Amino acid sequence: MELKNGAGVRFIEAFARNSADGCIAELITQFCEQFLYAGPAGSQWVGAGDFALALPKRKQIFEQAGHRSTELAGAQELWLGERYVLVRTRWRFAFELDTKAPYTLETESDFVVDAGAEPFRILVYLAHQDIVEMLRRRIPA
């Protein structure tokens, strides 16, 4: 396995911009029609259309928690042959509610990206922490 020219990291940087800007249509096009989501609670196949429908609920949870910003804090790529790239990422989320002091949460996630042809597409999204569950514990009742 050899390291390549940063194409996987640039793809994830675009993903981070689309996510931060709330560009749901662009964000969805970065995923395969069916992709594998895996997290602390298990794994499941997800359709890109179903994912698009879930994003507003996630945004609502973030807003209730006082979301201020999301930062791609780090990304490294490892090519898995000529076509696929594993991109390991770190994310920093900043929150502030009127009733609590500002805080940040950091998470890690990995993406397996099909980079065989443009546009690249996410095949696997592996979340090491469940950010929504972390936030639910902090949101005032």
Side-chain angles (χ1 to χ4, degrees), residues 16-120:
R17 282 190 303 277
N18 287 334
S19 184
D21 294 343
C23 299
I24 292 176
E26 289 85 353
L27 193 64
I28 295 308
T29 66
Q30 291 186 275
F31 285 85
C32 290
E33 186 59 36
Q34 293 282 319
F35 65 94
L36 178 64
Y37 169 79
S43 63
Q44 63 183 12
W45 287 101
V46 177
D50 293 333
F51 183 58
L53 294 174
L55 288 175
K57 178 67 174 170
R58 176 184 163 107
K59 182 179 179 187
Q60 179 184 24
I61 292 168
F62 272 53
E63 287 173 353
Q64 288 174 339
H67 182 249
R68 295 294 175 247
S69 66
T70 300
E71 173 190 1
L72 177 61
Q76 296 178 320
E77 69 180 45
L78 177 65
W79 284 82
L80 309 171
E82 291 298 315
R83 180 171 183 146
Y84 303 101
V85 59
L86 169 68
V87 184
R88 306 204 73 185
T89 64
R90 267 184 304 102
W91 300 86
R92 187 172 300 119
F93 301 88
F95 298 90
E96 183 175 1
L97 286 173
D98 293 338
T99 58
K100 294 187 177 185
Y103 63 96
T104 60
L105 295 175
E106 292 198 10
T107 65
E108 295 180 350
S109 53
D110 297 335
F111 298 85
V112 176
V113 177
D114 182 346
E118 294 282 347
F120 292 3

